Amino acid sequence: MLGAWVVLPQPSARADDTHYRAIPIGARAIGLAGAFTGVASDVSAAYFNPAGLALNQNLGIAAGLTINAWDRLKLDDFYQQPDTDVTASTKTNRTVPVFVGAVVKIGRSDDDGNKRYALALSFVEPIFSGGGVFLKIEQEPLDLSDSYRFTELDQARFYGLSFAARINSKQSVGVSLYTSVRRLNHSETGLTLGGGTEVPADPGTYLGASTVANTETLSFNAYHFVLRFGWLYRIKPQLQLGLMVQPPGIPLRQRVNVFSQEFINDNRDPSMPVATTAYFIETKSKARLPLPAEIEAGLQYWPAERVMLAFDASFHAPVREGQRIDLPPDISLGSIYFDDQTKRLATGNVAIAGDFRFRKKEVGILTGFFTDLSSAQKIPENPDIYYQPRINRFGATLSVVLNLSGVSLTVGSTFLYGRGSVSAARVDLNNLVLDYVRTGATSRIVYLHITGVAQAGRELGQRTQRRIKAKGQQNTEE
């Protein structure tokens, strides 16, 4: 009775809470593949290493825009039935702003005219994952076709204030306090039919068919305080060391609105009356969307006047096991593609990059390589629940930078490729069984990005000071 299957792709961006380097963030940091902890030379230092706001003088206003130009995620045999398997593919075209920041220098100037302290405001979007899949399994006749749709939008925005102080000409320290606002919306709707005999005299009517229908919407709202401490040490003019430490996020409020409804009509035995099992849940509950601790260390090295090399190593601490939604033991969710576990594995990543300048440093090329390993749990061969996809990615960046009249403009691309595993659902309505099996997944992503840094902060401060002095002198003369 089963015929062809159709998969309709939905928008999807790959920066969930199991990947920490999926979306390029920052201004110059994008071109350097994220190897920016030891560089910290523009306003995005507020996120990567706030100490750089004080030690480096080449700062001002920065903004970045990332276009998710090409994204393909293939999930092998993602939805299975006894006589068919469905391979899901997703694709997207999406524009995502990821960073805006501004910094001003304060305090007295030293003999070189550099101020000791710095204040910065910044906005960064480290998590942006949106999309899903619509599965349509066409049966013959089409009246018994099955369909399943799930969508998810996961977005975290950091709003922060940073302060940095220069200890001496070689060292500085800094701290950024961010308020994290996270929204996670997950929804599923499915209709599955099995068995049954068509009534010839009444098309569209079947005897003995079993049906399962479900719909579910989960809406999370989570607020955290996030502290990021930075230290920058200029060992010598050609070599610089940076360190950034982020403790676990401090939860302020975490809630979820749950709406879930499902019914099952069991008609496997025609000699017995149809047995219907149904439930309905509409409630609010405590939730858990933890932010793990993080440590990053980086080096910046100038082997030649127009060549800079950067290296970063990062470590994200594990997250202990727990449930995202705090529901009573006798209440279960009806979704089949939602990971209710908070557990995340410890993850380490590295990035290496180079900055090559030409024509008196006005034109340059930035390039780098990085890893984006997943912190999701390892999926058993035959899991009893749904697990978050575990896909390890590797990426490369290539950008062109132009420095003209106090404005640094960077245009480039980021490429990622990954392979891993995913939990595929196996639905057997003839026996009313739902279980899972581990299958493969492949990810390919291309980002296009444009960032700009205007050295306006320092100039604005100097102009303001000159105007104040001129006004004071004018008042004195009068």
Side-chain angles (χ1 to χ4, degrees):
M1 184 174 65
L2 197 59
W5 56 263
V6 179
V7 180
L8 300 180
Q10 300 291 320
S12 179
R14 305 287 153 220
D16 52 55
D17 66 355
T18 65
H19 289 91
Y20 306 116
R21 290 181 176 269
I23 286 185
I25 294 175
R28 192 180 177 201
I30 294 179
L32 293 175
F36 204 63
T37 309
V39 180
S41 60
D42 63 31
V43 188
S44 56
Y47 180 78
F48 286 94
N49 184 354
L53 299 173
L55 190 61
N56 291 297
Q57 303 302 318
N58 195 25
L59 299 165
I61 300 172
L65 186 69
T66 299
I67 301 173
N68 193 186
W70 199 87
D71 187 336
R72 299 293 184 271
L73 177 63
K74 180 183 177 183
L75 307 171
D76 297 338
D77 302 334
F78 194 50
Y79 187 88
Q80 302 181 14
Q81 289 186 345
D83 46 4
T84 188
D85 297 335
V86 175
T87 295
S89 298
T90 68
K91 62 182 179 181
T92 185
N93 293 289
R94 183 183 297 275
T95 301
V96 185
V98 293
F99 181 82
V100 177
V103 61
V104 295
K105 293 299 184 67
I106 58 176
R108 293 183 178 180
S109 300
D110 56 21
D111 296 337
D112 296 328
N114 298 323
K115 297 183 181 297
R116 183 177 179 184
Y117 305 107
L119 283 174
L121 294 173
S122 60
F123 161 78
V124 63
E125 203 169 42
I127 297 177
F128 192 103
S129 174
V133 175
F134 174 41
L135 305 172
K136 181 181 178 183
I137 306 176
E138 294 187 349
Q139 298 187 13
E140 185 60 41
L142 294 178
D143 301 309
L144 287 180
S145 293
D146 300 340
S147 66
Y148 206 90
R149 181 195 301 270
F150 81 89
T151 60
E152 186 170 279
L153 175 62
D154 190 2
Q155 188 175 36
R157 293 177 172 177
F158 285 19
Y159 303 87
L161 174 66
S162 304
F163 174 78
R166 183 161 45 85
I167 300 174
N168 51 46
S169 60
K170 294 185 177 181
Q171 293 189 74
S172 63
V173 293
V175 60
S176 292
L177 173 60
Y178 284 101
T179 299
S180 168
V181 180
R182 186 173 176 188
R183 303 281 190 267
L184 172 59
N185 296 303
H186 180 95
S187 65
E188 298 189 20
T189 302
L191 178 62
T192 304
L193 305 98
T197 303
E198 186 176 13
V199 178
D202 190 3
T205 301
Y206 297 85
L207 298 178
S210 296
T211 58
V212 176
N214 73 288
T215 181
E216 182 173 83
T217 301
L218 307 174
S219 300
F220 291 82
N221 292 282
Y223 301 86
H224 291 79
F225 278 146
V226 180
L227 286 167
R228 295 173 76 90
F229 300 94
W231 173 65
L232 201 61
Y233 178 44
R234 190 164 290 157
I235 302 172
K236 54 184 181 179
Q238 298 84 14
L239 185 62
Q240 189 166 272
L241 170 66
L243 181 68
M244 191 283 296
V245 177
Q246 175 192 293
I250 303 171
L252 301 176
R253 186 175 183 272
Q254 301 181 88
R255 303 286 293 178
V256 58
N257 295 327
V258 179
F259 173 82
S260 185
Q261 186 175 14
E262 180 181 83
F263 71 82
I264 302 174
N265 287 331
D266 183 1
N267 199 17
R268 290 175 293 173
D269 188 353
S271 64
M272 300 290 291
V274 176
T276 299
T277 304
Y279 76 83
F280 179 90
I281 302 172
E282 186 174 18
T283 185
K284 295 182 179 180
S285 173
K286 293 181 179 180
R288 299 178 186 88
L289 297 176
L291 294 172
E294 177 185 354
I295 298 176
E296 294 204 23
L299 284 172
Q300 174 186 249
Y301 176 57
W302 289 88
E305 181 182 0
R306 299 182 182 180
V307 178
M308 188 275 289
L309 303 177
F311 174 79
D312 254 36
S314 65
F315 172 80
H316 282 79
V319 178
R320 66 182 182 179
E321 188 170 359
Q323 288 186 307
R324 289 187 173 191
I325 303 176
D326 189 10
L327 291 176
D330 59 334
I331 296 179
S332 60
L333 299 174
S335 57
I336 66 174
Y337 288 120
F338 178 71
D339 180 10
D340 190 37
Q341 304 172 82
T342 61
K343 184 177 181 180
R344 297 291 181 262
L345 304 180
T347 304
N349 285 294
V350 296
I352 184 170
D355 182 346
F356 308 93
R357 296 302 173 96
F358 310 96
R359 294 183 57 189
K360 298 181 180 181
K361 299 184 180 181
E362 293 181 356
V363 180
I365 293 178
L366 305 177
T367 186
F369 302 90
F370 64 97
T371 63
D372 180 30
L373 305 183
S374 174
S375 64
Q377 299 183 68
K378 296 180 179 179
I379 302 176
E381 185 174 353
N382 292 294
D384 55 354
I385 59 175
Y386 178 74
Y387 285 80
Q388 191 86 346
R390 179 175 172 82
I391 303 174
N392 293 320
R393 302 190 183 101
F394 302 88
T397 64
L398 180 63
S399 303
V400 176
V401 59
L402 301 174
N403 293 303
L404 302 170
S405 302
V407 177
S408 177
L409 183 66
T410 302
V411 180
S413 296
T414 299
F415 312 89
L416 291 102
Y417 174 81
R419 292 183 62 86
S421 54
V422 66
S423 303
R426 293 194 301 192
V427 180
D428 183 359
L429 197 59
N430 293 327
N431 297 301
L432 293 181
V433 173
L434 167 67
D435 60 4
Y436 297 92
V437 63
R438 184 181 66 201
T439 63
T442 305
S443 174
R444 298 177 177 88
I445 306 173
V446 177
Y447 292 112
L448 302 178
H449 48 77
I450 179 170
T451 62
V453 180
Q455 319 306 334
R458 185 179 178 186
E459 294 178 7
L460 180 60
Q462 291 174 346
R463 290 177 183 176
T464 303
Q465 287 182 352
R466 288 196 295 266
R467 289 178 181 178
I468 293 175
K469 289 181 180 179
K471 186 67 175 179
Q473 292 177 355
Q474 182 180 357
N475 292 336
T476 302
E477 291 176 357
E478 293 178 353

